[in-house]
Amino acid sequence: MTAPAPALTPPSGAPGRRRTTGPRQRAERREAIALVIPALLPILVFSVIPLLAGVYLGFTNATLARNAEIEFTGLENFIELAGDQQFWDSFGIGLIWAGSVAALTGVSSLALATLLNSNLRFKNLTRIIVLIPWAMPPVVTGILWRMIYDVNSGPLNAALGWFGIDRVNWLGDFSTALPAVIVVGIWSGMPQTTVLLLAGMQSIPGELHEAAAMDGANGPRRFFHITLPSLAPVLIAITSIDFIWNFNDFGIVYVLTEGGPGGRTLIPPLFTYLEAFRNREIGYASAMGDVLVLAILLILSVYIVNQFRQNKIGR
Amino acid sequence: MKTPTGVTIVQYVLLAGFLLFLGFPVLWIISASFKSSAELNSLSANLIPNEWVFTNFTTALERQNLLSSAGNSLLVAVSTMVIAVIITLPMAYVLARLRGKARAAGTVWILSTQVFPQILIIIPLFLVLRTLFLNDTLLGLILVYVTFTLPFTLWMMQGYVAAVPRELEDAGAMDGASRFRVLVHIVFPLLRPGLMATAMFTFVSAWNEFFLALVLLQSPELFTLPITLRAFLGAEGQTQLGPLAAGAVLATIPSLIIFSFLQKRLTGGMLAGAVKG
């Protein structure tokens, strides 16, 4: 991590370094390949091949039927998809879902981490509580929030009742379903983000804060001028990964609403899943998946190109 | 550094708010697991059960296949853990010791696997497994879990390997030991703590995993715990909430125990990875 440009003079003993082709280097390269094969094999069979096949299936009329012949249909699926309003609606919902969850998780985790990093009491208790949602299986998260949101026996409606507010069918109502699902997304994402940010904060040298305090900077000033800038790279990385991860995943939403009511929480991967395994339209579903990959790659290419320019990866 | 009282109050109010948000749902499901079905379906919402009922746990275990599902989950999670660690270790070593373009390629690949929608892989994966006669088998699920946990396992492990001083290896090599011997006798023993952390993390991932199992398993007797719990939800209004809550609480315990051990290491591993990337 120090040693800025070791590319030309690698430390001795590194297997598979530059293209020198002495007998020793060739032996080392063979060893490296042998060591990599056990992991590469399953990756090839269960990840790379399916991924390529998945891209290809989008150009076919495949169905789930066992003996049906798969025909190449070119861009047919994509043309149909372009006119599929439900898919584009779902795309919009997916962007709102992933964007809100990532942004709100980032902000609230930053606040919580800051609190945990100050000299308040109850920090150990908080850390234990923060841990629990993180360890929870997504299915359990879904189940417990269904209980919280329950129209009749849920504590949320009971609490609102104290203030004279009528019962709301949180997960079943058109206007509340998506926000309700987003709250659960934040709940399950916050612990991890908080712990990571907290670790990031604790690695900021204390002298920075002391010096600033000496110069008369108050808490908020120190936060905006020292903590936030030092934390920015970690915060941005976590938030982007959180966005992509939520955009691609559907476990929690599936357990909470199965995409309902009336498609109001039908995020793209869930839509794709239902199309593939309920409607059995493998080809069409794969085309949806292709569009999702393309969208993510577009978002990501900006980031990667930027990284390569700064030569952060190529070392 | 003195903070004004007003600020302190705001801080505590915020902290209490976060604690309520994060902690209350968990308390609620624990409390639900001890409530009678009459109380669960009533309109009154108490955190402390009016009457403590312990039969939800026995009902869940006896009537709902929960125990055999837990057995399936345990088998799958342990196998995934063992296989993943064994095959990751050598590759993580190579990745950590590589320089230049190969390492960059490996890193980009690891990151990019986090990026593709799993749903796109799942569809043909289902077809691949069907071709291999591995669909609807626990072995198929295990192999898939191994593959899907590999990127993160590699990511963590290469961080731990990079922390092992290269001089130790060189010393071993100088004494005439083969690379294999150097790995087994010098490098791997030093990695043991990191190995344990990675293994436990893999266990939890497999134990908690939901939607690959949902797609790949059809026979109820093969269902893992999350799938069986999901099936508890059943048709609306038919759900036995008490046993469901009890099952959910039981399903969380193993990962909770492991996570409390792992918390520090996980953050360390992830941050190290993030910085090195």
Side-chain angles (χ1 to χ4, degrees), chain A residues 20 44 60 73-74 80-81 84 93 107 109 118 136-137 169 187 191 220 236 241 251 260 287 300-301 307-308:
Chain A
T20 35
L44 199 67
T60 69
T73 53
E80 196 184 334
L81 203 54
D84 188 339
I93 294 171
V107 172
S109 302
S118 58
M136 204 156 254
N169 186 2
W187 185 84
I236 291 170
I241 289 182
L300 206 75
S301 60
Q307 286 284 74
F308 264 109

PDB file of all heavy atoms in Angstrom, chain A residues 20 44 60 73-74 80-81 84 93 107 109 118 136-137 169 187 191 220 236 241 251 260 287 300-301 307-308:
ATOM      1  N   THR A  20       9.239 -12.471 -17.595  1.00  0.00           N
ATOM      2  CA  THR A  20      10.567 -13.032 -17.763  1.00  0.00           C
ATOM      3  C   THR A  20      10.371 -14.525 -17.918  1.00  0.00           C
ATOM      4  O   THR A  20       9.524 -15.110 -17.268  1.00  0.00           O
ATOM      5  CB  THR A  20      11.430 -12.748 -16.542  1.00  0.00           C
ATOM      6  OG1 THR A  20      10.576 -12.795 -15.401  1.00  0.00           O
ATOM      7  CG2 THR A  20      12.089 -11.393 -16.636  1.00  0.00           C
ATOM      8  N   LEU A  44     -16.112 -21.367 -13.059  1.00  0.00           N
ATOM      9  CA  LEU A  44     -16.384 -21.525 -14.482  1.00  0.00           C
ATOM     10  C   LEU A  44     -17.744 -22.187 -14.709  1.00  0.00           C
ATOM     11  O   LEU A  44     -18.571 -21.698 -15.468  1.00  0.00           O
ATOM     12  CB  LEU A  44     -15.263 -22.353 -15.119  1.00  0.00           C
ATOM     13  CG  LEU A  44     -15.124 -22.256 -16.615  1.00  0.00           C
ATOM     14  CD1 LEU A  44     -14.669 -20.863 -17.008  1.00  0.00           C
ATOM     15  CD2 LEU A  44     -14.153 -23.306 -17.128  1.00  0.00           C
ATOM     16  N   THR A  60     -33.282 -15.680 -27.176  1.00  0.00           N
ATOM     17  CA  THR A  60     -33.974 -16.902 -27.584  1.00  0.00           C
ATOM     18  C   THR A  60     -35.410 -16.905 -27.066  1.00  0.00           C
ATOM     19  O   THR A  60     -35.804 -16.039 -26.294  1.00  0.00           O
ATOM     20  CB  THR A  60     -33.291 -18.160 -27.012  1.00  0.00           C
ATOM     21  OG1 THR A  60     -33.493 -18.171 -25.596  1.00  0.00           O
ATOM     22  CG2 THR A  60     -31.817 -18.175 -27.310  1.00  0.00           C
ATOM     23  N   THR A  73     -33.932 -16.012 -31.499  1.00  0.00           N
ATOM     24  CA  THR A  73     -34.944 -15.118 -32.039  1.00  0.00           C
ATOM     25  C   THR A  73     -34.432 -13.696 -32.210  1.00  0.00           C
ATOM     26  O   THR A  73     -35.213 -12.764 -32.400  1.00  0.00           O
ATOM     27  CB  THR A  73     -36.187 -15.074 -31.125  1.00  0.00           C
ATOM     28  OG1 THR A  73     -35.754 -14.762 -29.802  1.00  0.00           O
ATOM     29  CG2 THR A  73     -36.916 -16.397 -31.131  1.00  0.00           C
ATOM     30  N   GLY A  74     -33.124 -13.534 -32.095  1.00  0.00           N
ATOM     31  CA  GLY A  74     -32.558 -12.195 -32.311  1.00  0.00           C
ATOM     32  C   GLY A  74     -33.049 -11.192 -31.284  1.00  0.00           C
ATOM     33  O   GLY A  74     -33.119 -11.490 -30.098  1.00  0.00           O
ATOM     34  N   GLU A  80     -39.925  -6.424 -27.804  1.00  0.00           N
ATOM     35  CA  GLU A  80     -41.130  -6.567 -26.985  1.00  0.00           C
ATOM     36  C   GLU A  80     -40.949  -5.841 -25.646  1.00  0.00           C
ATOM     37  O   GLU A  80     -41.842  -5.158 -25.150  1.00  0.00           O
ATOM     38  CB  GLU A  80     -41.414  -8.057 -26.748  1.00  0.00           C
ATOM     39  CG  GLU A  80     -42.820  -8.312 -26.248  1.00  0.00           C
ATOM     40  CD  GLU A  80     -43.047  -9.777 -25.924  1.00  0.00           C
ATOM     41  OE1 GLU A  80     -42.354 -10.633 -26.526  1.00  0.00           O
ATOM     42  OE2 GLU A  80     -43.888 -10.060 -25.056  1.00  0.00           O
ATOM     43  N   LEU A  81     -39.725  -5.990 -25.114  1.00  0.00           N
ATOM     44  CA  LEU A  81     -39.422  -5.391 -23.814  1.00  0.00           C
ATOM     45  C   LEU A  81     -39.506  -3.873 -23.872  1.00  0.00           C
ATOM     46  O   LEU A  81     -39.975  -3.208 -22.942  1.00  0.00           O
ATOM     47  CB  LEU A  81     -38.017  -5.821 -23.384  1.00  0.00           C
ATOM     48  CG  LEU A  81     -37.677  -5.778 -21.903  1.00  0.00           C
ATOM     49  CD1 LEU A  81     -38.687  -6.574 -21.102  1.00  0.00           C
ATOM     50  CD2 LEU A  81     -36.280  -6.339 -21.680  1.00  0.00           C
ATOM     51  N   ASP A  84     -42.831  -2.788 -23.226  1.00  0.00           N
ATOM     52  CA  ASP A  84     -43.464  -3.370 -22.041  1.00  0.00           C
ATOM     53  C   ASP A  84     -43.493  -2.332 -20.922  1.00  0.00           C
ATOM     54  O   ASP A  84     -42.531  -2.172 -20.180  1.00  0.00           O
ATOM     55  CB  ASP A  84     -42.684  -4.616 -21.613  1.00  0.00           C
ATOM     56  CG  ASP A  84     -43.404  -5.380 -20.503  1.00  0.00           C
ATOM     57  OD1 ASP A  84     -44.238  -4.780 -19.811  1.00  0.00           O
ATOM     58  OD2 ASP A  84     -43.113  -6.582 -20.350  1.00  0.00           O
ATOM     59  N   ILE A  93     -39.272   1.865 -10.307  1.00  0.00           N
ATOM     60  CA  ILE A  93     -39.431   1.476  -8.897  1.00  0.00           C
ATOM     61  C   ILE A  93     -38.101   0.994  -8.341  1.00  0.00           C
ATOM     62  O   ILE A  93     -37.713   1.326  -7.218  1.00  0.00           O
ATOM     63  CB  ILE A  93     -40.517   0.380  -8.753  1.00  0.00           C
ATOM     64  CG1 ILE A  93     -41.874   0.951  -9.135  1.00  0.00           C
ATOM     65  CG2 ILE A  93     -40.553  -0.179  -7.337  1.00  0.00           C
ATOM     66  CD1 ILE A  93     -42.978  -0.086  -9.249  1.00  0.00           C
ATOM     67  N   VAL A 107     -26.864   8.255   5.056  1.00  0.00           N
ATOM     68  CA  VAL A 107     -27.030   9.400   5.957  1.00  0.00           C
ATOM     69  C   VAL A 107     -27.268   8.948   7.398  1.00  0.00           C
ATOM     70  O   VAL A 107     -26.611   9.420   8.336  1.00  0.00           O
ATOM     71  CB  VAL A 107     -28.205  10.294   5.476  1.00  0.00           C
ATOM     72  CG1 VAL A 107     -28.501  11.375   6.502  1.00  0.00           C
ATOM     73  CG2 VAL A 107     -27.864  10.918   4.143  1.00  0.00           C
ATOM     74  N   SER A 109     -26.643   6.070   8.809  1.00  0.00           N
ATOM     75  CA  SER A 109     -25.501   5.348   9.375  1.00  0.00           C
ATOM     76  C   SER A 109     -24.401   6.320   9.782  1.00  0.00           C
ATOM     77  O   SER A 109     -23.735   6.135  10.805  1.00  0.00           O
ATOM     78  CB  SER A 109     -24.926   4.353   8.377  1.00  0.00           C
ATOM     79  OG  SER A 109     -25.912   3.442   7.995  1.00  0.00           O
ATOM     80  N   SER A 118     -18.708   9.432  19.633  1.00  0.00           N
ATOM     81  CA  SER A 118     -18.557  10.499  20.631  1.00  0.00           C
ATOM     82  C   SER A 118     -18.590   9.871  22.023  1.00  0.00           C
ATOM     83  O   SER A 118     -18.788   8.671  22.172  1.00  0.00           O
ATOM     84  CB  SER A 118     -19.677  11.521  20.462  1.00  0.00           C
ATOM     85  OG  SER A 118     -20.914  10.870  20.595  1.00  0.00           O
ATOM     86  N   MET A 136     -29.258 -11.226  11.016  1.00  0.00           N
ATOM     87  CA  MET A 136     -30.559 -11.844  10.799  1.00  0.00           C
ATOM     88  C   MET A 136     -30.717 -12.340   9.370  1.00  0.00           C
ATOM     89  O   MET A 136     -30.413 -11.624   8.424  1.00  0.00           O
ATOM     90  CB  MET A 136     -31.602 -10.784  11.097  1.00  0.00           C
ATOM     91  CG  MET A 136     -32.916 -11.343  11.485  1.00  0.00           C
ATOM     92  SD  MET A 136     -33.818 -10.135  12.448  1.00  0.00           S
ATOM     93  CE  MET A 136     -33.663 -10.863  14.064  1.00  0.00           C
ATOM     94  N   PRO A 137     -31.214 -13.585   9.187  1.00  0.00           N
ATOM     95  CA  PRO A 137     -31.501 -14.054   7.834  1.00  0.00           C
ATOM     96  C   PRO A 137     -32.546 -13.139   7.183  1.00  0.00           C
ATOM     97  O   PRO A 137     -33.484 -12.730   7.862  1.00  0.00           O
ATOM     98  CB  PRO A 137     -32.079 -15.448   8.060  1.00  0.00           C
ATOM     99  CG  PRO A 137     -31.637 -15.852   9.419  1.00  0.00           C
ATOM    100  CD  PRO A 137     -31.488 -14.606  10.208  1.00  0.00           C
ATOM    101  N   ASN A 169     -52.885  -0.040   6.206  1.00  0.00           N
ATOM    102  CA  ASN A 169     -52.411  -1.331   5.722  1.00  0.00           C
ATOM    103  C   ASN A 169     -51.082  -1.096   4.992  1.00  0.00           C
ATOM    104  O   ASN A 169     -51.011  -1.063   3.773  1.00  0.00           O
ATOM    105  CB  ASN A 169     -53.445  -1.937   4.773  1.00  0.00           C
ATOM    106  CG  ASN A 169     -53.065  -3.342   4.354  1.00  0.00           C
ATOM    107  OD1 ASN A 169     -52.047  -3.885   4.802  1.00  0.00           O
ATOM    108  ND2 ASN A 169     -53.860  -3.943   3.496  1.00  0.00           N
ATOM    109  N   TRP A 187     -33.301  -0.516   7.459  1.00  0.00           N
ATOM    110  CA  TRP A 187     -33.124  -1.243   8.730  1.00  0.00           C
ATOM    111  C   TRP A 187     -32.089  -2.355   8.576  1.00  0.00           C
ATOM    112  O   TRP A 187     -31.218  -2.517   9.414  1.00  0.00           O
ATOM    113  CB  TRP A 187     -34.472  -1.833   9.170  1.00  0.00           C
ATOM    114  CG  TRP A 187     -34.448  -2.486  10.509  1.00  0.00           C
ATOM    115  CD1 TRP A 187     -34.588  -1.875  11.723  1.00  0.00           C
ATOM    116  CD2 TRP A 187     -34.298  -3.890  10.789  1.00  0.00           C
ATOM    117  NE1 TRP A 187     -34.530  -2.802  12.723  1.00  0.00           N
ATOM    118  CE2 TRP A 187     -34.351  -4.045  12.184  1.00  0.00           C
ATOM    119  CE3 TRP A 187     -34.127  -5.035   9.999  1.00  0.00           C
ATOM    120  CZ2 TRP A 187     -34.240  -5.292  12.809  1.00  0.00           C
ATOM    121  CZ3 TRP A 187     -34.012  -6.259  10.618  1.00  0.00           C
ATOM    122  CH2 TRP A 187     -34.069  -6.384  12.001  1.00  0.00           C
ATOM    123  N   PRO A 191     -26.884  -1.536   9.923  1.00  0.00           N
ATOM    124  CA  PRO A 191     -25.856  -2.062  10.823  1.00  0.00           C
ATOM    125  C   PRO A 191     -24.493  -2.168  10.170  1.00  0.00           C
ATOM    126  O   PRO A 191     -23.502  -1.646  10.680  1.00  0.00           O
ATOM    127  CB  PRO A 191     -26.396  -3.437  11.195  1.00  0.00           C
ATOM    128  CG  PRO A 191     -27.855  -3.310  11.070  1.00  0.00           C
ATOM    129  CD  PRO A 191     -28.084  -2.395   9.912  1.00  0.00           C
ATOM    130  N   PRO A 220     -19.512  20.677  15.081  1.00  0.00           N
ATOM    131  CA  PRO A 220     -19.971  20.594  13.692  1.00  0.00           C
ATOM    132  C   PRO A 220     -18.882  20.962  12.679  1.00  0.00           C
ATOM    133  O   PRO A 220     -18.741  20.303  11.657  1.00  0.00           O
ATOM    134  CB  PRO A 220     -21.121  21.624  13.653  1.00  0.00           C
ATOM    135  CG  PRO A 220     -21.586  21.727  15.049  1.00  0.00           C
ATOM    136  CD  PRO A 220     -20.390  21.499  15.916  1.00  0.00           C
ATOM    137  N   ILE A 236     -18.512   6.806  -0.002  1.00  0.00           N
ATOM    138  CA  ILE A 236     -18.937   6.696  -1.403  1.00  0.00           C
ATOM    139  C   ILE A 236     -18.901   5.231  -1.852  1.00  0.00           C
ATOM    140  O   ILE A 236     -19.838   4.732  -2.480  1.00  0.00           O
ATOM    141  CB  ILE A 236     -18.048   7.564  -2.315  1.00  0.00           C
ATOM    142  CG1 ILE A 236     -18.337   9.042  -2.029  1.00  0.00           C
ATOM    143  CG2 ILE A 236     -18.296   7.253  -3.782  1.00  0.00           C
ATOM    144  CD1 ILE A 236     -17.364  10.003  -2.675  1.00  0.00           C
ATOM    145  N   ILE A 241     -21.899   0.467  -3.507  1.00  0.00           N
ATOM    146  CA  ILE A 241     -22.093  -0.979  -3.442  1.00  0.00           C
ATOM    147  C   ILE A 241     -23.484  -1.290  -2.910  1.00  0.00           C
ATOM    148  O   ILE A 241     -24.179  -2.171  -3.409  1.00  0.00           O
ATOM    149  CB  ILE A 241     -20.996  -1.636  -2.583  1.00  0.00           C
ATOM    150  CG1 ILE A 241     -19.672  -1.587  -3.346  1.00  0.00           C
ATOM    151  CG2 ILE A 241     -21.368  -3.071  -2.246  1.00  0.00           C
ATOM    152  CD1 ILE A 241     -18.512  -2.225  -2.658  1.00  0.00           C
ATOM    153  N   GLY A 251     -34.644 -10.484  -2.215  1.00  0.00           N
ATOM    154  CA  GLY A 251     -35.065 -11.371  -1.122  1.00  0.00           C
ATOM    155  C   GLY A 251     -36.051 -10.726  -0.171  1.00  0.00           C
ATOM    156  O   GLY A 251     -37.147 -11.246   0.069  1.00  0.00           O
ATOM    157  N   GLY A 260     -46.330  -6.841  -4.716  1.00  0.00           N
ATOM    158  CA  GLY A 260     -47.621  -6.167  -4.623  1.00  0.00           C
ATOM    159  C   GLY A 260     -47.523  -4.909  -3.794  1.00  0.00           C
ATOM    160  O   GLY A 260     -46.452  -4.537  -3.359  1.00  0.00           O
ATOM    161  N   ALA A 287     -33.868 -11.659 -21.181  1.00  0.00           N
ATOM    162  CA  ALA A 287     -33.717 -10.367 -21.862  1.00  0.00           C
ATOM    163  C   ALA A 287     -33.817  -9.234 -20.839  1.00  0.00           C
ATOM    164  O   ALA A 287     -33.063  -8.259 -20.895  1.00  0.00           O
ATOM    165  CB  ALA A 287     -34.779 -10.215 -22.949  1.00  0.00           C
ATOM    166  N   LEU A 300     -21.607   1.729 -13.788  1.00  0.00           N
ATOM    167  CA  LEU A 300     -20.315   1.348 -13.230  1.00  0.00           C
ATOM    168  C   LEU A 300     -19.142   1.807 -14.081  1.00  0.00           C
ATOM    169  O   LEU A 300     -18.072   2.129 -13.547  1.00  0.00           O
ATOM    170  CB  LEU A 300     -20.277  -0.176 -13.102  1.00  0.00           C
ATOM    171  CG  LEU A 300     -19.343  -0.666 -12.018  1.00  0.00           C
ATOM    172  CD1 LEU A 300     -19.972  -0.419 -10.673  1.00  0.00           C
ATOM    173  CD2 LEU A 300     -19.039  -2.125 -12.214  1.00  0.00           C
ATOM    174  N   SER A 301     -19.338   1.837 -15.409  1.00  0.00           N
ATOM    175  CA  SER A 301     -18.206   2.147 -16.288  1.00  0.00           C
ATOM    176  C   SER A 301     -17.644   3.522 -15.953  1.00  0.00           C
ATOM    177  O   SER A 301     -16.433   3.735 -15.981  1.00  0.00           O
ATOM    178  CB  SER A 301     -18.649   2.079 -17.745  1.00  0.00           C
ATOM    179  OG  SER A 301     -19.675   3.013 -17.960  1.00  0.00           O
ATOM    180  N   GLN A 307     -11.422   5.198 -11.981  1.00  0.00           N
ATOM    181  CA  GLN A 307     -10.443   4.516 -11.137  1.00  0.00           C
ATOM    182  C   GLN A 307      -9.154   4.238 -11.912  1.00  0.00           C
ATOM    183  O   GLN A 307      -8.060   4.439 -11.423  1.00  0.00           O
ATOM    184  CB  GLN A 307     -10.998   3.186 -10.613  1.00  0.00           C
ATOM    185  CG  GLN A 307     -12.018   3.327  -9.526  1.00  0.00           C
ATOM    186  CD  GLN A 307     -11.375   3.664  -8.189  1.00  0.00           C
ATOM    187  OE1 GLN A 307     -10.941   4.769  -7.969  1.00  0.00           O
ATOM    188  NE2 GLN A 307     -11.314   2.716  -7.293  1.00  0.00           N
ATOM    189  N   PHE A 308      -9.345   3.782 -13.174  1.00  0.00           N
ATOM    190  CA  PHE A 308      -8.172   3.441 -13.978  1.00  0.00           C
ATOM    191  C   PHE A 308      -7.361   4.679 -14.292  1.00  0.00           C
ATOM    192  O   PHE A 308      -6.145   4.663 -14.300  1.00  0.00           O
ATOM    193  CB  PHE A 308      -8.591   2.732 -15.278  1.00  0.00           C
ATOM    194  CG  PHE A 308      -8.529   1.250 -15.162  1.00  0.00           C
ATOM    195  CD1 PHE A 308      -9.687   0.486 -15.118  1.00  0.00           C
ATOM    196  CD2 PHE A 308      -7.304   0.602 -15.053  1.00  0.00           C
ATOM    197  CE1 PHE A 308      -9.626  -0.884 -14.971  1.00  0.00           C
ATOM    198  CE2 PHE A 308      -7.242  -0.769 -14.916  1.00  0.00           C
ATOM    199  CZ  PHE A 308      -8.404  -1.509 -14.873  1.00  0.00           C
TER     200      PHE A 308
END
